[in-house]
Amino acid sequence: MPEATKSSPAHKRYSGFLLLILLGTPVVMLLAGGIFFFSHRDALLDFERKIGSISNNTLFYDHLGSPFRSLKGLESREVIPLAEFSRELQLSVLAAEDSRFFQHRGIDLLRIFGAIWTNLQSGSFRQGASTITQQLVKVTLLDPEKTLSRKFREMAISIWLEFYLGKEKILEHYLNSIYLGYGNYGMEKAATGYFGTSVSSLSLAQSAFLAALIKKPEYYLRIPDLKAGRVLFTPEELKEVLLRQQLILKRMNELEWISHQQFQQALVEQLGVRVPRTEAGSGNYFVQHVIKLLQTKHRLVQVYGGGWRVWTTFHPELQKILEKVIQKHFIQNAPNGRQIAAVALDPNSGEVLALSGGRDFEASSFNRATQAERQPGSAVKPLLYATALDQSFQPNSTFEDSVLIYNWEDEGEEKIYAPKNYDELYGEERLLRNHLGGEYRSDLMTLGKAFELSINTIAVQLLDAVGIRNFIEKSEAMDLELKKENGLCLALGCSETSLLNLTSAYSVFLNQGRYVSPVFIKRIEDSSGNLIFRSPMEEPREVFSSKTMLQMQDLLGRVIENGTGRNALWYEDNQTLLGKTGTSSNSRDAWFVGAIPALLTGFWIGHDENLPMPEEQGGRTPARLWRTFNQEALSLLPIREMLPLPEPIHGATCQVSGLLATENCPDVADYPYFDEHLSTQLCDLHPGEILLHRFQSPSTQEKFQLENGD
């Protein structure tokens, strides 16, 4: 007997069952609707609460306004109004899921009868009849169980929802709620994830593709190996979903929603469908700090899934260069456990462009650039020297490098402080070199030479002369909270601070003596576009005079040219290079903070356990990292000159006596001076002819000749 004849009794029983449903459905639905009207009216309130609590991704935008990070709640979703969905996408979804959406009231009786008839003919449940409204109710209110009672409840709620919300709002909720695979809820998230564009910019072919995914997204987008590194799906992997896309386009053409020409063009359009990626990527420490600011400074309780739009100062390309340099020139060679932090910002605006808080965010999310408080060592000296120059000191002021012992009494107890130099040498014990490599010994030197070599004993003497209170006041003006109880060792960076704060303080040297606070967030809006915060256009805080800054730029440049920061030097690109090294006691911390006109960058190296690093100094690895990073970053930065400063006069100065240099002075520097600060006294420690040709201004030469009868 043929197989079809064997199965005919079962087929008849099944057909009879479906026919009973066909005849009884309208009566049952009306009865169910009446029961629900009186006993389940609260479901509408439940729906409102559910829709209101839908997770809406918080988006971070970079310095150019492009989104670079999405913070999701329990679901990855971006909620947008219906008007922003393209017409092509709306029509594609309707063609795929509910072409009579605007003709029914929540349930489509014609579609139900058509589905029943189709199933009767096929002998199986091959076609469903759920409307978009029913699907929305199912994904927001009801359990996924497949029971007859749940189906009737779904229908009844759908009818009520149509009257309560209206078609446009239902469609908007649906487009924002539907699941489209790999954690993407809503069409906007899917559009940016699969095509890298917003729903407002989707083509007809792309729109039909997303509509095709609704049926079974992760079945259609099966990925053999997410770690294969591929950017796009292959045509073979998209074969099944493209067949469904073509059916949707054909349906739209049959409904005359698109022309035959549009239909043909969409069929041949090449779709570059992106392979889903995780939210990892570069800038994790930067993102972490922005989240902290949103929670603490801006009091946003729900950041993840809160729907905020946050415009930041982040520079993705610069961040990638920073992370590449750290990986290649530090992580690959650094001892296990040694950590790193780096921050790069615009010195004129304070905008933080790139940041790294450690060698591996996944292993440790502790942000060493913003959270770690460490001793900056000599990296704090530029702020001390600037304080001194802002008073009566000059680059040619002289001090003696010798053993120091400070005695004082504290609550009846005698205290002693005896600062040491890094190399534990003093004065005549140390072999000094001039910029030509010539050697000499001296226990007397100018502030400029002491700064260049980072001599501790002279820095302590300078702080003693300037006054701790004056130095603290200047530091506080740059948001550095140095502890005055640390006393004179403040000159050597014994008071802890963060890399971000110290690097930001250096902005005064490139900003005409004005301090600008670091900026991470430029604007915040809620999901409806309402402005929550805009970074104020504050005037920079004046801390030092512009004349002092001109002299400090000269000193900071000498550190790189001839001093402890020589590893940061490069000669090409015609760039002004400024910087200072810092190394704390026992080499527990190594710092380098430096700048070119368009970028201010700080590097720190150390151990979380505060362990010594005998082979490390600020002038070694941190200085080399700074040089490599700035060289590679230069192509991404705007061409910028140093901000204008007062025009000085330069005088050839003996770096031992601080007086006008003669031909016999062992170490000569052309320091910048202003007005009466240029001495006309010839060096008496190294008698000889004056180096008149080393004076920048002819009037200065004439002044010296008149005063000395030459």
Side-chain angles (χ1 to χ4, degrees):
M1 182 180 294
E3 188 68 28
T5 307
K6 288 183 180 179
S7 60
S8 58
H11 183 276
K12 289 180 180 180
R13 287 195 299 272
Y14 181 73
S15 300
F17 176 68
L18 288 179
L19 183 61
L20 180 62
I21 293 177
L22 177 65
L23 297 175
T25 295
V27 177
V28 175
M29 284 173 53
L30 290 174
L31 180 61
I35 295 173
F36 175 77
F37 178 83
F38 292 107
S39 60
H40 294 86
R41 201 178 305 177
D42 289 344
L44 297 178
L45 297 177
D46 292 338
F47 177 83
E48 282 291 311
R49 284 192 291 268
K50 183 74 174 180
I51 287 293
S53 65
I54 280 180
S55 177
N56 184 5
N57 286 10
T58 290
L59 289 182
F60 285 178
Y61 297 88
D62 65 22
H63 71 123
L64 294 178
S66 300
F68 73 93
R69 186 63 63 91
S70 176
L71 305 181
K72 63 182 180 180
L74 297 178
E75 299 171 348
S76 182
R77 187 193 318 269
E78 291 161 26
V79 178
I80 62 173
L82 182 64
E84 294 189 23
F85 290 93
S86 68
R87 179 177 180 273
E88 289 80 4
L89 179 60
Q90 294 185 45
L91 293 178
S92 295
V93 172
L94 293 177
E97 299 298 318
D98 190 356
S99 62
R100 286 177 34 81
F101 176 69
F102 287 98
Q103 281 77 52
H104 62 68
R105 281 296 179 182
I107 58 173
D108 189 349
L109 292 178
L110 289 179
R111 192 175 175 195
I112 289 174
F113 294 147
I116 292 174
W117 180 251
T118 299
N119 293 335
L120 278 172
Q121 289 183 313
S122 64
S124 62
F125 287 101
R126 297 182 58 183
Q127 181 175 321
S130 291
T131 64
I132 281 178
T133 310
Q134 288 176 262
Q135 292 182 46
L136 179 63
V137 170
K138 181 168 62 178
V139 300
T140 55
L141 280 181
L142 303 179
D143 296 326
E145 59 177 350
K146 294 182 179 181
T147 62
L148 199 58
S149 62
R150 190 205 65 86
K151 191 65 177 178
F152 285 134
R153 191 161 185 261
E154 172 193 300
M155 292 179 178
I157 297 175
S158 298
I159 295 172
W160 251 107
L161 210 58
E162 291 270 342
F163 287 101
Y164 186 69
L165 290 181
K167 291 290 186 182
E168 287 76 12
K169 206 63 182 175
I170 288 173
L171 184 57
E172 176 184 303
H173 287 322
Y174 180 79
L175 294 174
N176 281 314
S177 303
I178 199 67
Y179 181 63
L180 292 152
Y182 300 101
N184 294 313
Y185 287 80
M187 284 291 178
E188 175 67 6
K189 192 65 175 68
T192 55
Y194 295 131
F195 295 115
T197 187
S198 175
V199 289
S200 61
S201 304
L202 289 171
S203 68
L204 175 59
Q206 291 171 329
S207 299
F209 180 90
L210 293 182
L213 286 181
I214 296 174
K215 188 175 183 181
K216 39 186 177 180
E218 286 169 358
Y219 171 81
Y220 285 137
L221 295 181
R222 297 188 296 274
I223 307 173
D225 184 6
L226 278 172
K227 298 180 180 180
R230 290 181 292 106
V231 177
L232 302 176
F233 283 97
T234 64
E236 184 62 30
E237 290 168 341
L238 299 177
K239 184 176 180 180
E240 291 179 82
V241 68
L242 289 177
L243 287 175
R244 178 158 173 77
Q245 176 218 34
Q246 292 167 12
L247 291 175
I248 293 171
L249 291 169
K250 182 180 179 182
R251 175 64 174 158
M252 294 172 73
N253 187 36
E254 291 171 350
L255 293 169
E256 298 184 352
W257 291 354
I258 59 174
S259 67
H260 184 71
Q261 182 181 4
Q262 289 175 307
F263 170 61
Q264 292 296 331
Q265 289 175 345
L267 286 179
V268 297
E269 181 178 327
Q270 296 296 314
L271 296 178
V273 184
R274 296 179 176 181
V275 173
R277 295 297 179 196
T278 65
E279 289 288 356
S282 65
N284 288 321
Y285 286 105
F286 184 99
V287 169
Q288 178 203 57
H289 188 67
V290 171
I291 293 171
K292 181 181 178 182
L293 291 175
L294 292 173
Q295 293 171 332
T296 56
K297 180 179 178 180
H298 299 287
R299 305 296 181 185
L300 302 183
V301 178
Q302 184 182 354
V303 175
Y304 287 87
W308 309 105
R309 302 296 182 257
V310 184
W311 280 261
T312 75
T313 59
F314 185 62
H315 195 306
E317 293 80 12
L318 203 62
Q319 180 71 37
K320 289 177 183 177
I321 290 178
L322 178 62
E323 293 181 3
K324 183 185 75 172
V325 168
I326 290 174
Q327 175 65 37
K328 182 177 179 181
H329 298 279
F330 174 75
I331 294 177
Q332 290 183 2
N333 304 312
N336 290 335
R338 188 161 299 181
Q339 282 291 351
I340 188 170
V343 60
L345 53 86
D346 185 318
N348 303 134
S349 67
E351 294 186 355
V352 179
L353 306 175
L355 181 145
S356 178
R359 60 190 295 161
D360 186 351
F361 183 81
E362 295 299 323
S364 171
S365 61
F366 179 67
N367 195 331
R368 295 156 188 85
T370 62
Q371 294 176 285
E373 300 278 331
R374 304 295 291 248
Q375 292 186 359
S378 295
V380 80
K381 288 178 182 176
L383 310 179
L384 169 61
Y385 274 69
T387 303
L389 294 178
D390 232 32
Q391 296 183 8
S392 58
F393 292 92
Q394 290 296 309
N396 67 328
S397 299
T398 56
F399 285 82
E400 185 177 343
D401 175 25
S402 59
V403 177
L404 298 178
I405 299 178
Y406 290 90
N407 296 281
W408 75 98
E409 190 174 297
D410 183 16
E411 297 182 356
E413 183 180 353
E414 185 177 359
K415 300 283 188 178
I416 298 177
Y417 176 53
K420 296 181 179 180
N421 289 316
Y422 181 81
D423 56 10
E424 298 189 355
L425 299 177
Y426 303 91
E428 295 285 358
E429 300 175 4
R430 181 186 290 104
L431 187 66
L432 303 177
R433 291 180 175 82
N434 60 32
H435 70 286
L436 297 176
E439 297 179 347
Y440 68 99
R441 295 181 187 273
S442 175
D443 58 1
L444 191 68
M445 67 182 69
T446 62
L447 280 183
K449 187 67 175 182
F451 185 80
E452 183 181 302
L453 299 179
S454 199
I455 304 298
N456 289 343
T457 57
I458 293 179
V460 172
Q461 293 177 68
L462 188 62
L463 177 58
D464 191 31
V466 167
I468 293 176
R469 176 173 295 181
N470 292 328
F471 181 45
I472 290 290
E473 288 177 357
K474 289 290 189 180
S475 301
E476 289 176 345
M478 296 174 282
D479 295 335
L480 284 177
E481 298 180 358
L482 305 184
K483 299 175 182 178
K484 62 181 180 181
E485 57 268 23
N486 286 346
L488 291 175
C489 78
L490 288 173
L492 309 183
C494 65
S495 186
E496 297 173 340
T497 187
S498 72
L499 176 65
L500 175 63
N501 288 348
L502 182 65
T503 305
S504 299
Y506 273 55
S507 65
V508 296
F509 303 125
L510 292 93
N511 209 29
Q512 299 171 317
R514 300 171 299 174
Y515 170 73
V516 288
S517 302
V519 177
F520 285 83
I521 299 173
K522 295 190 286 187
R523 189 168 88 248
I524 305 173
E525 294 179 2
D526 64 17
S527 58
S528 299
N530 299 312
L531 183 65
I532 304 299
F533 166 81
R534 185 188 298 276
S535 181
M537 299 294 292
E538 295 181 356
E539 283 295 319
R541 191 183 309 156
E542 186 172 341
V543 182
F544 299 107
S545 72
S546 56
K547 290 182 178 180
T548 293
M549 293 301 97
L550 188 281
Q551 292 177 320
M552 283 305 305
Q553 286 183 5
D554 179 75
L555 295 184
L556 288 164
R558 293 178 186 277
V559 169
I560 294 179
E561 291 174 6
N562 307 310
T564 58
R566 288 186 298 275
N567 281 322
L569 179 64
W570 84 87
Y571 294 100
E572 63 269 20
D573 302 320
N574 195 29
Q575 286 291 315
T576 300
L577 308 179
L578 310 176
K580 184 67 182 76
T581 59
T583 309
S584 65
S585 299
N586 297 317
S587 295
R588 298 178 189 274
D589 305 273
W591 307 65
F592 188 87
V593 183
I596 56 178
L599 193 65
L600 172 59
T601 311
F603 280 90
W604 167 88
I605 290 175
H607 288 270
D608 291 339
E609 301 83 4
N610 210 22
L611 301 174
M613 302 178 293
E615 80 293 351
E616 193 58 271
Q617 296 176 18
R620 293 180 182 173
T621 305
R624 295 187 187 104
L625 288 170
W626 181 87
R627 180 193 65 212
T628 304
F629 171 64
N630 278 266
Q631 285 179 302
E632 296 194 22
L634 205 56
S635 62
L636 299 176
L637 300 173
I639 299 174
R640 188 183 298 176
E641 300 291 333
M642 301 293 284
L643 295 181
L645 291 169
E647 188 68 29
I649 55 176
H650 287 79
T653 305
C654 176
Q655 295 209 86
V656 177
S657 67
L659 302 175
L660 292 182
T662 71
E663 58 187 354
N664 295 320
C665 291
D667 200 354
V668 179
D670 295 327
Y671 290 139
Y673 298 96
F674 295 97
D675 307 324
E676 71 281 359
H677 294 137
L678 175 62
S679 172
T680 57
Q681 182 180 349
L682 200 60
C683 178
D684 53 6
L685 294 180
H686 314 99
E689 295 294 322
I690 186 173
L691 301 174
L692 280 177
H693 67 281
R694 293 285 293 273
F695 285 94
Q696 184 188 61
S697 169
S699 63
T700 307
Q701 299 181 25
E702 295 173 6
K703 177 182 177 182
F704 173 80
Q705 290 170 344
L706 287 173
E707 293 186 7
N708 290 274
D710 187 356

